[in-house]
Amino acid sequence: MAPSKARRLLLLLLARLFFAAAAEPPVAPTAQVCVVGAGISGASLTYFLKQYSCSSVNAPCLNDIHLLERRNTAGGRTATVTISGDTFEAGASIIHPKNFHAVRFASLLGLHSTSESSEFESDRNASVSSSSSSSWFGIWDGSRFLFKTLPPPPPSSSAVYRRIHSFINALLVFRRYGLSLFRMNRFVNNMIENFLLYYKDFESRPVFETVEEMLKWSGLYGKTRRTLKEELLDAGVSPLLISELVTVITRINYGQDISISGLAGAVSLAGSDDGLWSVDGGNWQLAAGLINYSNASLHLNEEIISVTYDEVNNYVLGTANGTVYNCGITVIATPLDELNILFSPPVSIPSRRLQHTFTTFVRGLLNPKYFSLSHASEIPNLVGTVEVPEVPFSSISVLKKYGAEDMSYKIFSRAPMHDSLLDEIFSTRKETVRIDWAAYPHFEAPETFSPIILDGKHLYYINSFENAASTIETGAVAAENVARLIVSRLSGEQRNSPAKKIRSKDRDLPHHEL
């Protein structure tokens, strides 16, 4: 064979080998645990796995954890938006003082909190408080205000004047709703007391394989079987309070009415308590900080499109960009409802839809004529709405006041707020930002729940708990249970056996002392 022909054949062979290699999808190293989703649930899971693994002789060591996030940042449904240089929460924005996992995470990560004490100086005050009357809010039915508290006192007013002002507001609220306020608070506090069981020590807290087991153990399952309206009427709450204040709160916090399940409704009402807080600079820092603290590997812009169980490689995860991850354990930490992930073998979960909340940020000034008022200064800092078709939004709240006629607002609605509608509601608009937020499940009663273990092996679904209630804290509580479940099943311990306990590396992890 002539040398030139041999060289051509050799080059052709090398070219074929090159293109054949290029056609093979890139393969990432095999991981012990792959977590799909880098929101608060996935991030919490990495923390708890690091705490519970290697904690005893029988507990496996899970040090190789990879989080695969389809977006370009961690945080999931906790996100921020910038208006005129100011940053505001665009997603999950409030945390209850008894959300002990979130409290611990913030302390552990050295994050500072901002409280709800100031009067609507930020969007976190978009939650109505029935017990604290310092917030200036009104309930609007599309044509008039059914109820308004007094405007806040001037900043220069004395402490005594402020206390008198707060007392008068409390009297106004009590005059309209009466003893039903106490019955509503008792209903919420009973739910919170039951929820606190999830922080009990390991000796008395089982590891749960289903959401139903988890809810029945805490005494909360019954509240998922009936609507919030049914639960509140049985608790002696008046129809007036339910149709007005309760409806305002559920529309703001979950974008839905009083037909949501009783547990989701109770959690929504708890989101109007005193002492609410958020992380200064954005709640997304909880997720990002936990991932970094746990030394987990974060892969951004990695959209998972397939999960295949392979007897050799366990779970093979394929991404939209062609990367393949081989995982011993796979945890889904994002809602599957609007994702197109192909599972092989197929998995079965109940059909459900997410509740989309359209969040619109506007810098400008509200139009008083739209609210049948003569001046913008008469419009409360928070406008909540009742359940009537004529109302095109759930709430409008002041985020920041730059001047008497220049403010930043946050609007929640169930449908997009088009320019024509915004031009009716606002007399001026300098800046507008719109977000379509697939915020939480559309809650119904009775609720049905997806399995936590999707395939009987090691494919787990944290967000199955979300049909009970959807918050930052419920995501962390569900993640902690999945972490314990993984370690328990891998170690081969008898489930719920009091003789064998999962220990934590951090002795102060249980929060019952808090």
Side-chain angles (χ1 to χ4, degrees):
M1 183 182 296
S4 60
K5 183 179 291 187
R7 283 196 296 272
R8 285 198 298 271
L9 288 174
L10 179 60
L11 289 173
L12 180 62
L13 177 61
L14 290 174
R16 287 180 177 177
L17 289 173
F18 172 79
F19 286 113
E24 291 294 323
V27 178
T30 300
Q32 285 179 293
V33 182
C34 288
V35 184
V36 180
I40 191 64
S41 297
S44 298
L45 180 77
T46 66
Y47 171 78
F48 288 120
L49 281 179
K50 286 298 181 72
Q51 294 303 313
Y52 297 153
S53 66
C54 288
S55 59
S56 66
V57 175
N58 294 325
C61 294
L62 300 173
N63 297 315
D64 186 19
I65 304 174
H66 292 249
L67 288 95
L68 312 173
E69 171 57 50
R70 61 192 174 99
R71 299 182 178 90
N72 61 2
T73 185
R77 285 169 285 177
T78 56
T80 57
V81 66
T82 301
I83 302 289
S84 299
D86 292 310
T87 300
F88 304 106
E89 293 284 358
S93 58
I94 56 174
I95 303 173
H96 196 276
K98 290 188 177 179
N99 288 169
F100 292 144
H101 285 319
V103 169
R104 172 178 170 74
F105 294 158
S107 175
L108 183 72
L109 300 172
L111 299 174
H112 300 288
S113 64
T114 56
S115 70
E116 294 287 294
S117 57
S118 59
E119 296 178 0
F120 294 90
E121 65 182 5
S122 73
D123 68 301
R124 290 175 298 276
N125 288 310
S127 290
V128 182
S129 173
S130 59
S131 56
S132 172
S133 53
S134 62
S135 299
W136 184 24
F137 73 92
I139 301 175
W140 195 62
D141 71 352
S143 60
R144 65 189 180 94
F145 281 98
L146 301 174
F147 175 77
K148 285 199 297 183
T149 57
L150 295 176
S156 59
S157 58
S158 66
V160 174
Y161 181 83
R162 288 178 174 274
R163 283 196 291 270
I164 294 173
H165 177 276
S166 179
F167 179 71
I168 294 174
N169 262 342
L171 287 178
L172 291 175
V173 175
F174 182 77
R175 185 177 68 176
R176 186 164 186 86
Y177 301 115
L179 295 175
S180 282
L181 290 166
F182 299 102
R183 299 185 185 110
M184 181 184 74
N185 286 335
R186 184 168 61 241
F187 170 76
V188 173
N189 289 334
N190 288 340
M191 179 278 297
I192 292 174
E193 288 301 315
N194 286 56
F195 191 84
L196 291 178
L197 292 174
Y198 294 128
Y199 305 113
K200 288 176 68 69
D201 55 79
F202 298 137
E203 287 83 354
S204 58
R205 182 158 51 99
V207 180
F208 305 100
E209 291 189 352
T210 69
V211 177
E212 289 87 349
E213 289 178 8
M214 199 168 177
L215 293 171
K216 289 176 181 177
W217 176 82
S218 65
L220 293 172
Y221 182 70
K223 285 184 171 58
T224 69
R225 315 306 295 164
R226 304 203 309 159
T227 67
L228 174 62
K229 181 179 180 180
E230 291 171 331
E231 290 285 320
L232 288 177
L233 287 174
D234 278 1
V237 179
S238 70
L240 179 64
L241 178 57
I242 295 172
S243 64
E244 290 187 1
L245 191 58
V246 171
T247 298
V248 166
I249 294 171
T250 58
R251 283 170 64 88
I252 291 174
N253 289 337
Y254 277 142
Q256 296 162 66
D257 61 22
I258 52 176
S259 65
I260 66 177
S261 64
L263 179 54
V267 170
S268 177
L269 293 174
S272 65
D273 280 349
D274 289 335
L276 302 176
W277 63 282
S278 65
V279 176
D280 188 16
N283 290 331
W284 63 270
Q285 296 172 95
L286 290 172
L290 286 174
I291 294 169
N292 184 61
Y293 181 87
S294 304
N295 199 30
S297 299
L298 176 61
H299 307 268
L300 300 174
N301 300 307
E302 286 283 38
E303 181 181 1
I304 301 301
I305 60 174
S306 65
V307 177
T308 303
Y309 182 73
D310 185 323
E311 294 289 346
V312 177
N313 296 315
N314 294 329
Y315 296 97
V316 181
L317 276 58
T319 70
N321 62 18
T323 305
V324 173
Y325 292 86
N326 296 315
C327 314
I329 298 167
T330 295
V331 181
I332 308 298
T334 186
L336 289 172
D337 311 276
E338 295 184 356
L339 298 180
N340 294 315
I341 299 179
L342 178 64
F343 289 90
S344 180
V347 299
S348 178
I349 61 173
S351 175
R352 75 176 188 186
R353 60 189 175 96
L354 292 179
Q355 178 73 38
H356 281 248
T357 293
F358 294 87
T359 310
T360 307
F361 297 85
V362 175
R363 180 170 180 179
L365 187 67
L366 286 171
N367 180 8
K369 294 181 179 179
Y370 184 86
F371 298 96
S372 302
L373 299 173
S374 57
H375 197 274
S377 62
E378 300 176 82
I379 304 172
N381 289 334
L382 169 63
V383 178
T385 58
V386 293
E387 193 69 31
V388 293
E390 294 79 15
V391 180
F393 58 87
S394 299
S395 65
I396 299 178
S397 59
V398 174
L399 303 179
K400 184 173 182 179
K401 292 185 178 182
Y402 303 95
E405 297 187 354
D406 184 11
M407 309 180 195
S408 287
Y409 301 87
K410 182 178 185 179
I411 308 169
F412 285 147
S413 60
R414 296 175 184 169
M417 302 287 287
H418 298 296
D419 285 338
S420 58
L421 176 58
L422 290 175
D423 288 339
E424 291 182 40
I425 298 174
F426 288 86
S427 57
T428 60
R429 280 194 297 135
K430 298 179 180 180
E431 187 175 356
T432 304
V433 176
R434 296 177 174 88
I435 296 175
D436 178 0
W437 181 31
Y440 16 68
H442 185 84
F443 297 106
E444 298 175 347
E447 291 285 4
T448 56
F449 301 96
S450 301
I452 295 177
I453 306 172
L454 289 175
D455 64 349
K457 301 180 180 67
H458 284 290
L459 178 62
Y460 301 87
Y461 188 27
I462 294 179
N463 295 72
S464 56
F465 190 83
E466 202 170 9
N467 261 33
S470 177
T471 66
I472 290 174
E473 188 70 6
T474 54
V477 166
E480 194 234 5
N481 178 69
V482 170
R484 296 180 70 205
L485 182 59
I486 291 172
V487 173
S488 176
R489 296 180 75 219
L490 287 178
S491 63
E493 295 178 353
Q494 177 75 27
R495 184 169 65 93
N496 301 345
S497 172
K500 294 184 178 180
K501 303 183 290 291
I502 299 174
R503 296 180 175 84
S504 167
K505 296 173 185 176
D506 287 355
R507 295 183 180 273
D508 62 337
L509 188 63
H511 303 285
H512 57 280
E513 293 182 0
L514 294 175

